[in-house]
Amino acid sequence: AEVLAIADTLVQNGMFSAGAWSEALGAALEKAAFDGAADNQETYYQCALSALESLVASNSQIDRQAMAGKRDDWEQAYLSTPHGQPVNLKAD
């Protein structure tokens, strides 16, 4: 649901069109089906995330390498944060 909400927000803010989102998600789902992926929530999530990352990379200054780096930063931050404490990223 979060990926879909982010995509909707980016559509509403003009980063890409609803049609571009629909095409990217449809293409990711078709590829997953062609590759034999299970038809389940995990596959749908992975397809939605991949489509969103593709559109962000092609419609902004943020590339996939920067997205992967930020994802790694978040992972390190939450893994090193004690339970019950807020997760904070170090400033770049």
Side-chain angles (χ1 to χ4, degrees), residues 56-73:
V56 169
S58 64
N59 291 287
S60 74
Q61 298 297 321
I62 304 168
D63 62 18
R64 285 189 179 269
Q65 185 175 4
M67 283 185 257
K70 190 57 70 177
R71 184 178 15 242
D72 291 344
D73 292 346

Side-chain angles (χ1 to χ4, degrees), residues 1-2 4 6-7 11 13-14 22-23 25 42 51-53 56 62 64-66 73 77 80 92:
E2 291 175 353
L4 300 177
I6 292 168
V11 166
N13 285 289
S22 178
E23 288 176 24
L25 180 56
E42 179 65 23
L52 181 60
E53 287 177 343
V56 169
I62 304 168
R64 285 189 179 269
Q65 185 175 4
D73 292 346
S80 64
D92 288 341

